[in-house]
């Protein structure tokens, strides 16, 4: 039996959850999210807990059982607390700014990089070089952070670029003249 799938998902008191067929709708202080459950799974509400059950005992059903429970947990936790990713910009003259839902990055190119932030995701800039991406949807927050990082990934020689907070970049030694 799936070790993750059999654990119930606790629902905090400030979160309202509705299950209609294969669709789970969660609403909390950070927003509202809808989840379509994976195939071969079903969910039911037991008081202040959600239990994910599998339909059948095939290998795929067992895999979907754990996946379904993890997705439900991410939705419930997201609307209650939200998710955050922090990025750092390293490089002389590199900086970022936000106006509304548009993030502008000056990364040493001949032009600034302009990125439009999607709905349900909030991007803030601290000290011109620290970017904070937050929102209720774990997948969207991670995707936005990865897209911002992809504009100038950290390079191994000087360490310049956009990296996750706490990310360690393995540095390489440059060419030596003989």
């Amino acid at each position: 039996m799936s070790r993750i799938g059999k654990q119930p998902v606790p629902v905090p008191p400030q979160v309202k959850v509705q299950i209609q067929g294969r669709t789970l709708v969660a609403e909390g202080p950070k927003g509202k999210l809808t989840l379509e459950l994976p195939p071969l799974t079903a969910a039911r509400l037991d008081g202040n807990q959600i239990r994910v059950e599998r339909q059948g005992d095939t290998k795929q059903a067992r895999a979907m059982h754990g996946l379904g429970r993890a997705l439900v947990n991410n939705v419930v936790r997201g609307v209650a607390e939200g998710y955050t990713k922090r990025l750092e910009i390293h490089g002389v003259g590199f900086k970022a700014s936000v106006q509304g839902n548009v993030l502008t990055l000056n990364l040493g190119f001949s032009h600034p990089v302009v990125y439009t932030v999607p709905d349900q995701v909030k991007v803030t800039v601290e000290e011109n070089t620290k970017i904070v991406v937050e929102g209720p949807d774990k997948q969207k927050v991670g995707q936005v952070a990865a897209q911002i990082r992809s504009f100038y990934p950290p390079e191994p020689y000087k360490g310049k670029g956009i990296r996750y907070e706490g990310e360690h970049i393995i540095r390489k030694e440059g060419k030596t003249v003989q």
Side-chain angles (χ1 to χ4, degrees), residues 37-53:
L37 289 170
L40 304 174
T41 60
R44 64 182 166 86
L45 198 56
D46 279 347
N48 64 345
Q49 292 181 335
I50 300 172
R51 293 199 177 271
V52 178
E53 299 161 344

Side-chain angles (χ1 to χ4, degrees), residues 43 91 97:
S97 63

Side-chain angles (χ1 to χ4, degrees), residues 14-165:
Q14 69 268 25
V15 176
K16 295 184 185 90
V17 176
Q18 295 174 345
I19 300 172
Q20 299 146 357
R22 302 188 42 72
T23 306
L24 179 129
V25 179
E27 192 170 355
K30 296 288 183 178
K32 181 178 181 179
L33 290 176
T34 304
L35 172 70
E36 187 70 31
L37 289 170
L40 304 174
T41 60
R44 64 182 166 86
L45 198 56
D46 279 347
N48 64 345
Q49 292 181 335
I50 300 172
R51 293 199 177 271
V52 178
E53 299 161 344
R54 65 174 165 226
Q55 298 164 338
D57 197 34
T58 62
K59 186 175 183 177
Q60 185 181 8
R62 290 192 299 272
M64 293 296 138
H65 188 206
L67 171 71
R69 192 266 180 200
L71 292 174
V72 169
N73 187 48
N74 289 344
V75 166
V76 170
R77 190 170 154 227
V79 297
E81 305 164 17
Y83 290 96
T84 304
K85 289 271 188 180
R86 295 179 177 275
L87 299 158
E88 299 171 342
I89 301 175
H90 289 268
V92 177
F94 288 15
K95 62 182 181 175
S97 63
V98 173
Q99 290 161 342
N101 68 337
V102 176
L103 175 68
T104 306
L105 300 164
N106 294 319
L107 301 172
F109 299 128
S110 60
H111 58 283
V113 177
V114 178
Y115 178 73
T116 305
V117 180
D119 294 341
Q120 285 195 330
V121 177
K122 182 182 168 200
V123 174
T124 54
V125 176
E126 302 167 352
E127 305 170 19
N128 286 338
T129 59
K130 295 186 182 352
I131 302 170
V132 180
V133 181
E134 50 194 353
D137 190 345
K138 186 175 187 176
Q139 193 274 331
K140 267 191 183 176
V141 168
Q143 184 66 40
V144 168
Q147 285 174 339
I148 292 170
R149 183 182 185 271
S150 73
F151 293 130
Y152 201 125
E155 53 98 8
Y157 294 102
K158 292 185 180 177
K160 292 168 34 172
I162 303 172
R163 64 179 81 171
Y164 294 110
E165 186 177 69

